Amino acid sequence: HMATHAFFKALLFLGAGIVIHEMHHLKDKLNLNFDEQDMTYMGGLRKMMPVTAVVFIIASMALAGLPLTSGYLSKDAILIGVFEWAEVKGGLHWIFPVLVSITSWLTTFYIFRVVFKVFFGEFKLADLLNVAVGNKPLHEPTNWMKIPVIVLAIFCLGVIYAINPINLESSWIYHAFMTGEHSESIYHLLIPVYINILSLVLLYTAYLVYAKNKFRFGAGQSWDFKISYH
């Protein structure tokens, strides 16, 4: 997971940096007054920055551990290991696989909240821009910024780490670091299904909330939102 994480987390940081860089350039060019790091001023960037959008989505899928990505293989390895360990230990040790599962699901929701708020929907600054700017006030960065993130995106794909990108046991790096006997417990089959079904439900929920604006959580007035915000 340290090996796979290095690529998709670096890509997420660089992808965010590209977006902030272009928003800052737009801010200076038009002499606007807004926070270039505030996602509420973004939206619809996939239409103007398609390459950045694609590589950021690939990295987000890997972070969430979705199938065919590197994160799918490495996060499954962790989850399977935690479940097998809890089964041996028993009792209160089962709280650890529960916490790890919840953390995994929260990760899926929060990263796709970013994806849908930034790259989907309509560009939030459109009303502030004059007609002369045209339909694409933002654009892709130079190749000096674009090529590195494309390379990182390739290393977020599962096929780099396994002949069969949905089978942990076919991963060369998994076998290289394995110690002791290799287990073939039922968790190797159940965990990928169990963790990804709810991950996909949460991904779709984030899509409905932040890309389609089908409903809102009303978080602005809730006590838990206020506590976490402050």
Side-chain angles (χ1 to χ4, degrees):
H1 189 67
M2 290 174 66
T4 61
H5 185 274
F7 291 103
F8 61 71
K9 186 53 71 74
L11 175 50
L12 288 169
F13 275 113
L14 290 177
I18 288 173
V19 171
I20 293 168
H21 176 270
E22 295 303 319
M23 292 290 287
H24 181 77
H25 180 71
L26 178 66
K27 177 181 176 180
D28 283 352
K29 178 181 177 182
L30 301 178
N31 196 27
L32 297 173
N33 183 26
F34 66 91
D35 182 358
E36 61 266 37
Q37 299 192 44
D38 190 339
M39 291 188 294
T40 58
Y41 293 106
M42 300 176 192
L45 267 60
R46 79 185 193 283
K47 300 171 186 175
M48 298 174 276
M49 305 169 66
V51 174
T52 303
V54 168
V55 297
F56 197 94
I57 290 170
I58 290 173
S60 300
M61 291 175 64
L63 176 67
L66 296 180
L68 304 180
T69 66
S70 60
Y72 174 84
L73 296 168
S74 61
K75 285 184 75 171
D76 275 4
I78 293 172
L79 285 162
I80 291 166
V82 173
F83 271 84
E84 290 176 339
W85 175 83
E87 186 176 51
V88 172
K89 294 289 186 177
L92 290 175
H93 293 87
W94 278 103
I95 194 172
F96 289 99
V98 171
L99 291 175
V100 171
S101 299
I102 292 172
T103 303
S104 178
W105 289 322
L106 287 174
T107 300
T108 299
F109 186 81
Y110 86 66
I111 193 58
F112 278 96
R113 174 180 178 271
V114 174
V115 168
F116 295 132
K117 282 177 74 72
V118 173
F119 295 104
F120 287 74
E122 297 300 323
F123 187 44
K124 305 300 190 300
L125 284 176
D127 293 338
L128 293 176
L129 305 180
N130 57 48
V131 180
V133 176
N135 295 325
K136 293 186 177 182
L138 295 176
H139 53 78
E140 293 284 8
T142 66
N143 286 335
W144 288 105
M145 300 176 91
K146 195 161 57 177
I147 292 174
V149 294
I150 292 173
V151 173
L152 288 171
I154 292 171
F155 282 90
C156 292
L157 303 177
V159 292
I160 299 295
Y161 303 89
I163 297 173
N164 181 354
I166 60 172
N167 180 16
L168 174 63
E169 281 70 34
S170 70
S171 169
W172 61 268
I173 198 167
Y174 174 74
H175 286 283
F177 283 96
M178 245 178 45
T179 57
E181 295 183 0
H182 176 60
S183 66
E184 288 287 354
S185 69
I186 190 66
Y187 294 116
H188 287 250
L189 175 63
L190 292 181
I191 295 303
V193 176
Y194 147 81
I195 206 71
N196 281 287
I197 285 178
L198 188 53
S199 287
L200 291 172
V201 170
L202 289 169
L203 189 158
Y204 184 63
T205 302
Y207 173 74
L208 292 177
V209 176
Y210 300 109
K212 305 301 288 184
N213 296 312
K214 292 293 185 181
F215 61 93
R216 297 175 63 87
F217 291 121
Q221 285 71 43
S222 63
W223 63 269
D224 54 334
F225 177 86
K226 290 177 181 177
I227 289 175
S228 64
Y229 183 82
H230 291 290

